[in-house]
Amino acid sequence: MSDHAFQRCIYPACGTTVAISDTRFRCPACGGLLDIAYEWDRLPVPKSLKHLETKWADRTHPLNFSGVWRFRELLPFAPDDRVMTIGEGQTLCQQSDPVARYVGVKPGRLYLQYEGMNPSGSFKDNGMTAAFTHAGLVGARRAACASTGNTSASLAIYCAATNLMRGVIFVGSGKISYGKLSQALEHAALTLQIAGDFDDALRRVQEVAKQLGIYLVNSVNPFRLEGQKTIMYRVLEALRWEVPEWVVVPGGNLGNCSAFGKAFTELFDLGLIDRVPRLAVVNAAGANTFYQVAERHGVRWHGGNADRPKVAAYLKMLDDTDARADTLASAIEINRPVNLPKALRALERCGGVVREVTDQEILDAKAQVGAGGLGCEPASAASVAGVLKLVKEGVIDPDERVVCILTGHLLKDPTATVAYHTSDPKMYADVLGNRGVKRVAFANRAVQVPNDLAEIVKALELYA
Ligand code: F0G
């Protein structure tokens, strides 16, 4: 393990430090979240970001092939020979003029960071490789997570591919899409379907991990977020190391936005960038705790003196009224985001905003992403729907350079997609209509034709 890395409570007034080998992932003094911190002045920090490109010359080296570990000088908590990689992070940051047109920014200004290209089909692999590396260092034999489906798919694939640990997955029964459930099952993870939702499952998995000493890979684990920082390094790399004006990301358990805030804070403090981008976090309207807390109740990080009682009161109100998250974007159907304090810190550091978007807005944006050539799952499209809203509000200027994070692959949730495009009214009603989606502005309906050559030709002449 690195002698120059440690864990530290995120609250500066507490600042308790914990050994890198500790797996409790909570501050022993105040119960706060932990960061991974580094003694940068005793580590070989790159002189410029461009220097990192040298790794591309040696892509047969597994650590240089990985889109996470080729940036390892910026997450130096493990020696090279202990890194657990399965080739994650080979992702793409693609300029998309069709989507730019849809959201109202100028051509050439909108980019989609497509994390669906990861081995398990979502951004989670960026964090899982880092968590597995840490788990390997501490000799863990079992790993667990609660999940809306992507963390569990990622955990399952890393367990199967590395044979390091046995994976135990807690999911809310009926709460994850088939694409994701199929991954957990196919990759042979022990899958517990809990009669409850993600928030219930996350509570339980933390209790169980503590009681049985199982290594926890949810994003409360700060090593996960170290890996997820690299999504931002790849964005900067794709933009020739220029910092965009905006990074827009869906918010669920708020791990990604927290990791992005940390990535930019560190790059700035190390003198590797001269400004940070603004961050927009987009909740689904049916799972909008962060939006409520940050925008409606005005809670701020205040340099670490965040208004913790206000947050606690809001969460207690959710408990007292048994308020349940409810959105078609099942990946972000979360009401009690564990990383909320870190996300508040990221907002403060990056001049951030939070918005909520309806399932209708999400599904329309998703269809536009698909028509533009990159397929994503509903939660991912919240980022695009969020940009549309922020441009309309005048918060994002059409001239500004905007990067939306597409967090998961289209094939994760085929049910939502087929229901959007279907001509079967019952299917539409069952999946979308019953949940408040009133219209399908961009539906691409399949054309029904008899099994007859002349009829098929006629159909083609009519539609093609
Ligand atoms: N997008 C997708 C596709 C996700 O799977 C998730 C989270 C998010 C966005 C939200 O990211 O939690 O960092 O704010 N999925 C978790 C899971 C909760 O269990 O797979 P976040």
Side-chain angles (χ1 to χ4, degrees):
M1 266 180 248
S2 166
D3 295 334
H4 306 305
F6 54 98
Q7 303 185 65
R8 183 173 59 205
C9 178
I10 63 166
Y11 293 104
C14 174
T16 299
T17 60
V18 178
I20 202 82
S21 55
D22 200 287
T23 57
R24 286 171 295 173
F25 305 140
R26 286 282 180 186
C27 173
C30 77
L33 296 168
L34 299 174
D35 274 328
I36 307 306
Y38 303 97
E39 293 174 310
W40 292 112
D41 51 351
R42 302 175 67 185
L43 285 159
V45 179
K47 301 245 172 321
S48 74
L49 287 174
K50 202 162 169 36
H51 151 86
L52 295 162
E53 287 173 17
T54 54
K55 305 285 192 311
W56 281 100
D58 180 20
R59 284 171 54 85
T60 52
H61 186 318
L63 269 64
N64 292 341
F65 178 80
S66 166
V68 171
W69 297 104
R70 64 193 162 82
F71 300 103
R72 55 195 176 279
E73 286 134 294
L74 296 169
L75 52 150
F77 67 83
D80 285 5
D81 60 354
R82 304 297 297 276
V83 166
M84 306 292 293
T85 174
I86 64 166
E88 57 289 314
Q90 303 301 313
T91 64
L92 178 78
C93 186
Q94 190 176 81
Q95 184 186 314
S96 178
D97 288 349
V99 177
R101 203 173 311 120
Y102 176 65
V103 296
V105 305
K106 296 236 171 91
R109 307 307 280 170
L110 189 98
Y111 291 79
L112 300 174
Q113 172 67 21
Y114 189 40
E115 290 297 314
M117 289 171 74
N118 273 291
S120 79
S122 89
F123 74 92
K124 300 287 179 182
D125 299 347
N126 292 286
M128 203 55 71
T129 182
F132 264 62
T133 297
H134 181 243
L137 290 172
V138 300
R141 302 303 310 152
R142 285 187 296 184
C145 71
S147 185
T148 54
N150 279 326
T151 304
S152 48
S154 185
L155 171 60
I157 207 172
Y158 274 83
C159 285
T162 66
N163 210 18
L164 180 74
M165 300 186 280
R166 172 87 167 124
V168 185
I169 286 165
F170 290 50
V171 295
S173 193
K175 291 290 187 183
I176 79 172
S177 66
Y178 268 14
K180 301 172 191 179
L181 181 59
S182 62
Q183 290 178 290
L185 301 175
E186 187 85 351
H187 296 305
L190 173 60
T191 305
L192 305 183
Q193 294 186 297
I194 312 253
D197 61 11
F198 173 83
D199 294 319
D200 297 316
L202 185 60
R203 253 182 212 154
R204 290 292 178 217
V205 78
Q206 292 184 86
E207 289 164 7
V208 171
K210 197 169 169 186
Q211 190 169 327
L212 300 182
I214 302 180
Y215 188 87
L216 190 63
V217 298
N218 278 105
S219 55
V220 63
N221 175 335
F223 293 92
R224 275 267 317 269
L225 303 193
E226 288 305 286
Q228 286 169 218
K229 291 190 310 193
T230 66
I231 301 171
M232 290 301 104
Y233 306 153
R234 296 198 298 274
V235 164
L236 293 180
E237 182 183 55
L239 301 180
R240 305 277 187 273
W241 307 112
E242 282 176 23
V243 179
E245 273 71 42
W246 286 93
V247 170
V248 187
V249 62
N253 223 3
L254 304 177
N256 250 348
C257 60
S258 301
F260 299 172
K262 185 171 192 278
F264 287 119
T265 302
E266 288 173 348
L267 290 181
F268 186 86
D269 291 348
L270 291 170
L272 292 168
I273 53 175
D274 53 14
R275 65 176 179 86
V276 298
R278 294 191 69 188
L279 193 60
V281 183
V282 188
N283 273 165
N288 65 354
T289 296
F290 193 37
Y291 174 71
Q292 287 289 343
V293 166
E295 298 285 347
R296 293 259 170 245
H297 295 259
V299 176
R300 296 284 174 274
W301 172 246
H302 289 313
N305 300 309
D307 212 344
R308 289 166 93 173
K310 261 194 197 169
V311 177
Y314 186 81
L315 296 178
K316 182 171 180 316
M317 180 279 292
L318 292 179
D319 283 345
D320 291 348
T321 56
D322 196 26
R324 297 281 163 180
D326 182 19
T327 168
L328 277 158
S330 57
I332 52 174
E333 195 176 47
I334 296 172
N335 257 354
R336 292 162 183 78
V338 74
N339 289 299
L340 201 145
K342 284 186 177 177
L344 288 171
R345 182 178 67 176
L347 283 191
E348 180 166 286
R349 184 65 192 85
C350 297
V353 298
V354 190
R355 289 296 180 272
E356 58 170 356
V357 291
T358 62
D359 285 356
Q360 178 78 61
E361 292 167 321
I362 287 174
L363 290 181
D364 287 340
K366 180 171 109 57
Q368 288 288 300
V369 170
L374 292 179
C376 70
E377 66 170 286
S380 312
S383 59
V384 173
V387 176
L388 178 66
K389 181 164 266 188
L390 288 163
V391 171
K392 274 193 192 144
E393 287 177 12
V395 175
I396 293 182
D397 188 277
D399 268 324
E400 290 183 312
R401 190 139 62 158
V402 183
V403 180
C404 289
I405 313 303
L406 297 184
T407 45
H409 201 284
L410 172 71
L411 298 175
K412 290 283 189 174
D413 189 355
T415 312
T417 307
V418 175
Y420 187 88
H421 296 288
T422 188
S423 40
D424 173 357
K426 183 168 170 358
M427 180 181 209
Y428 169 75
D430 287 352
V431 182
L432 306 185
N434 290 347
R435 311 204 40 188
V437 177
K438 299 259 182 294
R439 60 189 162 74
V440 281
F442 308 111
N444 172 31
R445 300 215 162 82
V447 179
Q448 307 292 330
V449 281
N451 182 11
D452 177 277
L453 180 60
E455 291 287 343
I456 293 170
V457 170
K458 207 160 89 189
L460 283 179
E461 281 168 352
L462 197 60
Y463 294 106

